[in-house]
Amino acid sequence: TCFAIMGWSAMPAFLTAVSCGLLCGTGARVLPAAANPPGSCWFILTNRCPFDFGQDCVSCASAVSASDCGKEDVAAYCGDDEGISFTQSVTHLSTSRRDIGATSVGGVAIFAGGCRNNGTGTAQYSCDEPDGSVDIFVESDSPPGVKLSKTSQVSEPRGWICAAPGGTDSGAPLVVLAGGGTSGIIPHSTSGDVVNLNTGAVTSFPNALSVGRWGVSCTSIGDATYFAGGKVTVSGYDDAWMSSIVDVFTAGDGSQGVGTWAPAPYNLSVARESSTAASVGGSLLVSGGWQKVDGTYQGDNTVDLFEDPVTGANHQTFQLAADAYDVGAAIVNGTAYIVANTEVATFTATGEGSPVMLPQALAGVPSLNGGGLIPGCHMPRNGVTVGPWACFYGGSTNTSAPKPALYCLHSVRQRWARLPCSVPHRAGAIALVGSSTVLVAGGFDPTADNAPASDIVDVFQFKL
């Protein structure tokens, strides 16, 4: 078993080699320049095997050997009360695709819609071959511990669907799917689909959203599912505008079918697409995004917090340290961890908390295709919770950056762990099966030319 603790301390580069141990404590050492920015110092516990973001595992004096580390490829605490160990395996989606909607409900993972065409260059912003598959994964006693239980079809094949839990219908869990589209230059979808996870049956609502849009963020609170913001395209790239609308699906009581749709009585403070919505302690949190200002597209750092998501009352706004879109979000013990380009912001149901260190290897300058490793991989609803861990997929277009991986933040110790993926999953999706199995699915390799969409699902089974 490998043990690791990771952190970062900055100092002048010429002092690094001499001072690393003094600043970072006993057992610290300087790792190769290729794996770390100049002047950085990763520190470890003595008698444990160090793990860094640039290499899979490095040997350490009086610790387990490098070969032992390689067998497990463990980048986490293993064996203590709050630690994890894991096994990793691979399964497959029913079809290869990117820009997938994903969520988890009742221990089941759902991957909905997507785009089958290649994802390199400007092609990643179109969906010439939309896919309508809804894959439902459940736990299994056989390897790899999960299985594709059933596959349904959405009413309108499209990419960039937002998916979230949608209450129940006669005891059966529901998932709500809305928004998305097939191209950045034609109007987007108004459709909504409600999937019964027990039967796979799909109930369709052609005019679920008050206006068709993609880049919608969504989350569920109680019996309501909120779909916030998005981009409305009239014709072409420039004849488009950002929406601040929040549409709501409310699960039915049996007398009104599976549920009803209506706009919320409030809007976001800033019209934007590609924000990230989350439910924290019953409040609606919408973070970051991509906006259009005086005809120019740019990132946004706004955070909206609605303590009463039904009426919009007790609305507060905050700002991330830098613009970011497709930020990561995971909720652990009533705290939302929002991973942006340069920081990890935290929020509770009533306000902002203290930030958490973001290692420099995970940070980046905000841009259309770049940024930090987690928002920069452009995976909507990027984040799941496993015990005390908040886990996110991270990857980069830079071939010298750390390999694509599942990055997990221990919410108590505020330390990061890295679990390498078998393939890149840019514009893929992440979801949870049961309470401790993370699936990272689909997407494409941003470093490859004319990159095809993938059907590979990396499966991480945590042993808490």
Side-chain angles (χ1 to χ4, degrees):
T1 303
C2 271
F3 292 78
I5 277 189
M6 296 175 289
W8 179 80
S9 174
M11 66 194 82
F14 69 91
L15 291 177
T16 302
V18 177
S19 305
C20 184
L22 295 176
L23 270 101
C24 295
T26 305
R29 65 191 181 90
V30 181
L31 293 175
N36 297 278
S40 70
C41 170
W42 291 89
F43 59 92
I44 61 169
L45 292 182
T46 54
N47 299 323
R48 296 193 177 190
C49 180
F51 186 97
D52 69 87
F53 287 163
Q55 301 178 14
D56 284 346
C57 197
V58 208
S59 62
C60 177
S62 65
V64 287
S65 68
S67 60
D68 287 337
C69 294
K71 290 176 183 176
E72 297 270 347
D73 221 9
V74 175
Y77 308 92
C78 312
D80 60 34
D81 291 340
E82 296 175 334
I84 57 169
S85 63
F86 72 95
T87 59
Q88 183 179 359
S89 54
V90 169
T91 187
H92 299 271
L93 296 170
S94 63
T95 58
S96 299
R97 56 199 196 268
R98 57 176 172 84
D99 298 298
I100 308 164
T103 192
S104 307
V105 57
V108 175
I110 298 90
F111 297 97
C115 307
R116 294 193 296 266
N117 56 299
N118 294 347
T120 306
T122 57
Q124 64 186 291
Y125 305 114
S126 65
C127 195
D128 297 331
E129 300 176 45
D131 191 287
S133 302
V134 180
D135 291 346
I136 302 172
F137 284 85
V138 299
E139 292 180 304
S140 171
D141 293 332
S142 302
V146 299
K147 66 178 181 180
L148 178 57
S149 171
K150 57 178 68 75
T151 297
S152 297
Q153 292 286 318
V154 295
S155 60
E156 180 186 345
R158 59 199 188 275
W160 297 279
I161 291 173
C162 199
T168 62
D169 180 25
S170 301
L174 304 175
V175 166
V176 189
L177 315 170
T182 60
S183 170
I185 59 174
I186 62 175
H188 305 310
S189 176
T190 59
S191 294
D193 296 287
V194 180
V195 183
N196 184 310
L197 297 187
N198 285 0
T199 65
V202 177
T203 303
S204 299
F205 298 83
N207 298 301
L209 300 183
S210 50
V211 61
R213 54 199 195 271
W214 71 9
V216 178
S217 62
C218 61
T219 192
S220 298
I221 304 173
D223 64 354
T225 307
Y226 297 85
F227 293 84
K231 181 181 179 181
V232 180
T233 295
V234 180
S235 177
Y237 185 70
D238 293 322
D239 190 4
W241 49 278
M242 299 301 179
S243 172
S244 62
I245 293 172
V246 179
D247 285 310
V248 186
F249 171 82
T250 304
D253 58 6
S255 63
Q256 297 176 313
V258 296
T260 57
W261 293 84
Y266 57 89
N267 287 13
L268 300 178
S269 62
V270 175
R272 58 201 193 269
E273 66 170 327
S274 301
S275 58
T276 299
S279 168
V280 52
S283 295
L284 173 61
L285 183 73
V286 183
S287 305
W290 187 252
Q291 61 172 323
K292 186 177 184 182
V293 179
D294 297 328
T296 300
Y297 292 97
Q298 62 188 51
D300 182 73
N301 68 346
T302 304
V303 178
D304 286 298
L305 180 65
F306 300 93
E307 292 186 44
D308 184 347
V310 176
T311 66
N314 298 326
H315 174 213
Q316 302 179 66
T317 59
F318 306 91
Q319 282 74 44
L320 300 172
D323 295 341
Y325 73 107
D326 289 332
V327 300
I331 315 299
V332 185
N333 295 326
T335 296
Y337 293 84
I338 306 300
V339 185
N341 289 311
T342 61
E343 64 173 330
V344 182
T346 66
F347 296 88
T348 66
T350 58
E352 188 173 15
S354 300
V356 175
M357 181 196 74
L358 182 68
Q360 186 167 337
L362 293 181
V365 177
S367 67
L368 174 62
N369 288 315
L373 259 62
I374 290 170
C377 70
H378 299 302
M379 180 180 288
R381 292 180 59 78
N382 185 358
V384 295
T385 302
V386 181
W389 298 88
C391 296
F392 316 86
Y393 171 76
S396 174
T397 58
N398 184 350
T399 55
S400 64
K403 297 177 182 178
L406 186 69
Y407 291 92
C408 295
L409 170 65
H410 194 286
S411 59
V412 177
R413 302 187 181 195
Q414 296 192 357
R415 305 288 189 181
W416 284 89
R418 177 181 178 272
L419 286 59
C421 291
S422 64
V423 297
H425 294 281
R426 182 184 175 93
I430 185 171
L432 194 66
V433 170
S435 60
S436 57
T437 300
V438 180
L439 277 58
V440 185
F444 69 98
D445 182 354
T447 66
D449 292 331
N450 204 29
S454 172
D455 70 345
I456 292 177
V457 181
D458 277 301
V459 180
F460 299 90
Q461 289 181 288
F462 288 60
K463 300 176 181 178
L464 299 179

